[in-house]
C-alpha cells in the first residue's frame, strides 16, 4: 500500500514537472477552484438549520439565555436586534426544556409573579408598589397579545385612598405602544385598549387613559366631540372610498387603466331623529257608541208673583220681559251625550345617523384615451351606478382633458432600466457560471489529452526501443564470419557508433520515463527463455 502511494505521488510529481509554465498555472488555478467549490458545498451541507428558541425577549432575558447557551456549548444566532435567539432546529425542544428547568427566561419579573416574593415583613408601601408593578406588567402583556402591537408599556398613577378627604384624586393611566413594520392601529382598536385598561383598574375612567405610539403621536383625546368627529370622518372617508373604487373599476374597463381619475365628496347626516305620529279614524256609523246619556227637563206652572218674568240680572235684579203678573209659563229642555268608538294609531320612528345628504362626483378622462367616447352616456351610467339623486342635490361632472404622463414615463423608464440591469446581472451571472463550468471542463479535457499524449509517447518510445533491440540482434546474427584481420577494424568502428547511439537514446528515455523503462526491464527479466 505504501509503495503504491509512493509510486502515485512520484508519477504525479513527474507529470507536473513536465508541464510548461502556462500549464502549471492552469493546473494550480483549476485545483484551487475545485477545492474552493468542494469546501463551499461541504460548508453548506454541514451548516445546521436554525429555528427560533425564544422571541420578543427583553435585554435581561436575552443575556441570560445567551450565557446559558454558551455554558452548555449550544450554537446560537441572534435576530430581530437581539430579541430572538435561534438554535439548531433539532435542539430547540431539548434546549427549551433545559432552560425552563433553570427558570430562564424569567419574563423580566413582570405581572403577578412580582407578588410571589411578598412576606409578612413587607411594608405597606412595598405592597402598593408591587401591586402597581404587577398590574402594569399584566396589562402590558395583555395589550401585547393584540396582532398589530409588538410591544407595550403601561404606567399607572394610583393615588392613595384618603379616608377623611372630601374629594379623592382619580387614577390615571398612560400606555406606550409599538406596532409592527407597516402596521397601524385603527380607532376601534385604540378604543378597545382604552376600555380594557379602564375596566382593569377601580374608578379609572376611559377619558383618563392616554395612549401614544412609539413615534410620540397621541392616539387618544379627552374631547368627546373630537373623538366623535374622528369617527364621523372615518365613516365619511370609508363611504367615499367605496364609491370611488366602484366607479374607478368601471372606468378602467371602459377607457383602460390610468386613463381616468375619480373624486367623490359626500355629506353625511349624523343627527339622530325621532318622530311620533298619531292617527285617529272613525269606526263607522253602524258601530254602536261606547256610552250614551239623555237629559230631559220640562216645566209648566204660574209665573212670578211679583209680576216679573225673566232671568236674574246683575245685582240680583230680574229683567222684565213684559209678561203679565201671575200668567202661566212652561219650557222643555233635552240633551244627548254619546261616546263613539275612535281608532287611534301611534307610530314612532327613529332615524339612525349616517344618512346621505348629498354626493358630488367628479370624473376626468384622458382626452387621448377617451377619443369619441360619449361622455353624456357615460355620465348617465355613472349616475345610475353611484345611485345619485338630483332632487337630493347630488352633482356629477364628467370632463376630458390631456393627462400629464411625464411622471409615469419617467417611472416606466426607471423600471425598465432596473429590469434591464437585473436581466444583465442575471445574464452575467449565468455567463460566469457557464464560463466556470467550461473552464473546469477544459481543464479536465486538457489533462485527459495530456495523459493520452504521454501514453502515446510512452508506447512509441517502448516500441522503438524494442524494435531497435530486435534489429540489433538480427544484425548481429546476420553478420558473416570473416577474417578478423580484414574486418576487425570496420566492425569495431560500426559497433562503436551504433552502441553509442543506442546508449544515448536509452539514457534519454530512462531520464524521461524511468518507471516505464524499469517496468519493461522487469518484464524482460521474468519472461521465459
Amino acid at each position: 500500500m505504501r509503495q503504491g502511494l509512493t509510486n502515485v505521488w512520484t508519477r504525479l510529481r513527474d507529470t507536473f514537472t513536465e508541464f510548461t509554465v502556462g500549464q502549471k498555472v492552469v493546473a494550480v488555478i483549476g485545483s484551487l477552484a475545485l477545492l474552493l467549490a468542494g469546501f463551499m458545498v461541504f460548508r453548506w451541507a454541514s451548516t445546521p438549520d436554525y429555528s427560533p428558541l425564544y422571541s420578543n425577549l427583553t435585554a435581561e432575558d436575552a443575556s441570560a439565555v445567551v450565557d446559558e447557551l454558551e455554558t452548555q456549548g449550544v450554537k446560537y444566532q441572534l435576530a430581530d436586534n437581539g430579541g430572538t435567539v435561534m438554535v439548531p432546529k433539532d435542539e430547540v425542544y431539548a434546549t427549551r426544556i433545559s432552560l425552563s428547568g433553570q427558570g430562564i427566561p424569567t419574563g423580566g419579573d413582570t405581572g403577578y409573579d412580582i407578588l410571589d416574593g411578598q412576606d409578612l415583613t413587607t411594608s405597606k408601601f412595598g405592597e402598593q408598589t408591587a401591586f402597581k408593578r404587577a398590574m402594569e406588567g399584566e396589562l402590558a402583556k395583555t395589550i401585547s397579545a393584540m396582532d398589530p402591537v409588538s410591544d407595550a408599556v403601561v404606567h399607572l398613577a394610583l393615588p392613595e385612598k384618603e379616608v377623611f378627604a372630601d374629594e379623592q384624586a382619580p387614577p390615571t393611566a398612560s400606555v406606550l405602544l409599538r406596532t409592527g413594520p407597516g402596521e397601524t392601529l385603527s380607532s376601534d382598536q385604540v378604543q378597545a385598549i382604552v376600555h380594557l385598561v379602564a375596566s382593569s383598574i377601580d374608578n379609572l375612567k376611559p377619558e383618563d387613559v392616554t395612549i401614544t405610539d412609539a413615534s410620540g403621536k397621541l392616539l387618544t383625546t379627552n374631547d368627546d366631540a373630537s373623538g366623535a368627529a374622528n369617527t364621523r370622518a372615518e365613516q365619511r372617508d370609508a363611504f367615499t372610498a367605496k364609491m370611488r373604487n366602484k366607479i374607478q373599476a368601471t372606468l378602467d374597463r371602459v377607457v383602460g387603466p390610468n386613463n381616468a381619475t375619480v373624486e367623490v365628496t359626500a355629506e353625511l347626516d349624523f343627527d339622530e331623529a325621532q318622530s311620533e305620529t298619531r292617527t285617529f279614524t272613525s269606526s263607522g256609523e253602524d258601530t254602536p257608541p261606547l256610552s250614551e246619556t239623555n237629559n230631559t227637563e220640562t216645566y209648566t206652572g204660574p209665573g212670578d208673583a211679583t209680576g216679573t218674568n225673566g232671568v236674574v240680572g246683575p245685582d240680583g235684579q230680574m229683567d222684565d220681559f213684559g209678561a203679565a203678573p201671575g200668567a202661566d209659563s212652561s219650557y222643555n229642555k233635552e240633551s244627548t251625550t254619546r261616546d263613539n268608538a275612535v281608532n287611534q294609531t301611534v307610530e314612532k320612528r327613529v332615524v339612525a345617523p349616517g344618512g346621505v345628504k348629498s354626493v358630488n362626483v367628479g370624473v376626468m378622462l384622458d382626452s387621448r384615451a377617451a377619443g369619441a367616447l360619449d361622455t353624456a352616456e357615460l355620465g348617465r351610467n355613472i349616475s345610475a351606478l353611484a345611485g345619485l339623486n338630483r332632487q337630493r342635490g347630488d352633482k356629477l361632472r364628467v370632463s376630458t382633458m390631456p393627462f400629464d404622463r411625464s411622471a409615469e414615463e419617467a417611472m416606466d423608464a426607471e423600471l425598465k432600466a432596473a429590469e434591464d440591469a437585473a436581466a444583465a446581472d442575471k445574464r452575467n451571472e449565468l455567463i460566469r457560471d457557464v464560463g466556470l463550468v467550461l473552464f473546469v471542463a477544459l481543464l479536465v479535457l486538457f489533462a485527459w489529452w495530456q495523459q493520452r499524449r504521454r501514453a502515446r509517447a510512452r508506447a512509441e518510445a517502448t516500441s522503438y526501443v524494442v524494435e531497435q533491440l530486435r534489429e540489433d540482434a538480427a544484425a548481429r546474427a546476420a553478420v558473416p564470419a570473416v577474417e578478423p584481420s580484414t574486418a576487425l577494424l570496420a566492425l569495431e568502428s560500426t559497433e562503436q557508433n551504433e552502441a553509442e547511439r543506442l546508449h544515448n537514446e536509452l539514457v534519454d528515455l530512462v531520464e524521461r520515463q524511468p518507471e516505464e523503462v524499469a517496468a519493461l526491464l522487469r518484464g524482460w527479466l521474468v519472461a521465459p527463455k
Side-chain angles (χ1 to χ4, degrees):
M1 181 67 181
R2 183 177 181 182
Q3 184 65 28
L5 293 176
T6 305
N7 294 335
V8 172
W9 171 252
T10 304
R11 187 181 299 110
L12 292 176
R13 183 188 60 190
D14 295 338
T15 303
F16 184 76
T17 56
E18 293 177 2
F19 287 171
T20 62
V21 177
Q23 294 174 350
K24 291 181 179 179
V25 172
V26 172
V28 171
I29 295 177
S31 301
L32 292 178
L34 292 176
L35 290 175
L36 180 61
F39 173 74
M40 296 300 293
V41 172
F42 174 77
R43 184 177 179 182
W44 171 77
S46 61
T47 301
D49 187 11
Y50 284 87
S51 180
L53 178 65
Y54 294 109
S55 301
N56 298 326
L57 293 175
T58 61
E60 295 79 5
D61 289 339
S63 177
V65 170
V66 169
D67 291 341
E68 186 61 28
L69 292 178
E70 292 178 350
T71 303
Q72 297 181 4
V74 179
K75 297 181 180 179
Y76 66 90
Q77 290 181 353
L78 298 178
D80 296 337
N81 297 324
T84 301
V85 180
M86 305 179 68
V87 298
K89 190 174 182 179
D90 54 349
E91 301 181 7
V92 171
Y93 298 107
T95 305
R96 189 174 295 169
I97 293 173
S98 176
L99 294 179
S100 298
Q102 301 180 17
I104 301 175
T106 61
D109 292 336
T110 60
Y112 292 125
D113 297 337
I114 299 177
L115 302 178
D116 295 338
Q118 300 291 322
D119 53 20
L120 295 177
T121 61
T122 305
S123 63
K124 182 178 180 181
F125 176 77
E127 291 179 354
Q128 294 177 351
T129 303
F131 174 75
K132 187 172 76 70
R133 290 179 56 196
M135 291 300 299
E136 291 174 349
E138 289 296 329
L139 287 173
K141 289 191 293 185
T142 304
I143 296 173
S144 299
M146 299 179 65
D147 286 338
V149 181
S150 61
D151 193 10
V153 179
V154 179
H155 294 287
L156 299 176
L158 304 178
E160 186 178 357
K161 294 183 179 180
E162 299 291 343
V163 179
F164 300 102
D166 295 336
E167 295 182 0
Q168 177 69 34
T172 58
S174 60
V175 182
L176 177 64
L177 302 177
R178 180 182 291 108
T179 59
E183 295 181 337
T184 57
L185 288 169
S186 64
S187 60
D188 294 338
Q189 292 172 330
V190 173
Q191 292 298 320
I193 295 175
V194 168
H195 288 282
L196 173 66
V197 175
S199 302
S200 302
I201 306 299
D202 293 339
N203 300 325
L204 179 60
K205 298 179 180 180
E207 55 267 21
D208 293 331
V209 179
T210 303
I211 299 179
T212 58
D213 59 7
S215 62
K217 180 181 179 182
L218 183 64
L219 302 180
T220 57
T221 177
N222 294 330
D223 189 1
D224 295 337
S226 299
N230 294 333
T231 304
R232 294 176 181 178
E234 292 178 357
Q235 293 180 1
R236 183 173 59 251
D237 294 341
F239 175 79
T240 56
K242 182 178 180 180
M243 183 174 293
R244 181 172 58 251
N245 294 335
K246 185 188 299 184
I247 299 174
Q248 186 68 53
T250 303
L251 293 176
D252 290 342
R253 297 291 300 272
V254 176
V255 295
N258 299 327
N259 291 324
T261 179
V262 181
E263 289 296 334
V264 178
T265 58
E267 184 179 359
L268 304 182
D269 185 7
F270 294 98
D271 296 333
E272 182 178 353
Q274 296 182 0
S275 61
E276 181 177 347
T277 304
R278 292 178 180 269
T279 304
F280 298 92
T281 58
S282 175
S283 300
E285 297 180 356
D286 298 334
T287 303
L290 297 177
S291 62
E292 182 176 359
T293 302
N294 296 321
N295 294 323
T296 303
E297 184 179 352
T298 303
Y299 175 78
T300 303
D304 190 0
T306 58
T308 59
N309 188 11
V311 297
V312 179
D315 301 328
Q317 298 179 359
M318 297 294 295
D319 295 334
D320 186 7
F321 292 95
D328 294 334
S329 64
S330 65
Y331 70 91
N332 293 324
K333 180 181 178 182
E334 295 182 0
S335 65
T336 303
T337 303
R338 295 187 181 91
D339 294 333
N340 296 321
V342 178
N343 297 329
Q344 179 180 358
T345 303
V346 180
E347 182 180 0
K348 293 183 178 181
R349 301 186 62 185
V350 178
V351 180
V356 180
K357 285 186 176 181
S358 62
V359 178
N360 298 325
V361 180
V363 178
M364 289 184 290
L365 307 175
D366 189 1
S367 57
R368 290 171 293 185
L373 184 65
D374 188 358
T375 57
E377 181 64 22
L378 180 63
R380 287 190 290 270
N381 292 330
I382 294 176
S383 179
L385 176 65
L388 301 183
N389 188 353
R390 301 288 183 180
Q391 298 178 355
R392 190 175 55 190
D394 297 346
K395 297 179 181 179
L396 171 65
R397 178 67 179 270
V398 180
S399 59
T400 59
M401 59 184 62
F403 283 11
D404 183 9
R405 303 285 184 175
S406 58
E408 295 181 4
E409 293 174 356
M411 186 178 298
D412 292 339
E414 292 180 359
L415 292 176
K416 187 176 183 305
E419 292 176 356
D420 294 341
D425 293 340
K426 186 179 295 184
R427 184 170 57 254
N428 293 334
E429 183 178 358
L430 179 61
I431 293 174
R432 182 189 61 192
D433 296 340
V434 173
L436 181 60
V437 173
L438 291 178
F439 178 72
V440 174
L442 288 176
L443 287 178
V444 175
L445 181 61
F446 179 75
W448 175 80
W449 178 76
Q450 288 287 348
Q451 185 68 21
R452 288 289 304 273
R453 187 175 65 85
R454 287 193 297 270
R456 193 183 307 112
R458 286 194 300 268
E460 292 178 356
T462 303
S463 62
Y464 175 74
V465 172
V466 173
E467 186 66 27
Q468 291 295 327
L469 294 176
R470 289 178 179 176
E471 291 179 358
D472 184 72
R476 288 178 181 273
V479 173
V482 296
E483 294 294 333
S485 60
T486 58
L488 182 59
L489 184 60
L491 180 61
E492 290 179 355
S493 177
T494 303
E495 289 179 354
Q496 184 178 2
N497 294 335
E498 185 66 22
E500 184 178 0
R501 184 180 63 81
L502 291 175
H503 179 270
N504 294 334
E505 291 181 356
L506 288 175
V507 170
D508 183 53
L509 179 61
V510 170
E511 290 178 353
R512 289 188 293 106
Q513 301 175 352
E515 295 180 0
E516 287 78 1
V517 174
L520 179 62
L521 293 178
R522 283 194 298 269
W524 288 351
L525 292 175
V526 299
K529 297 182 180 179

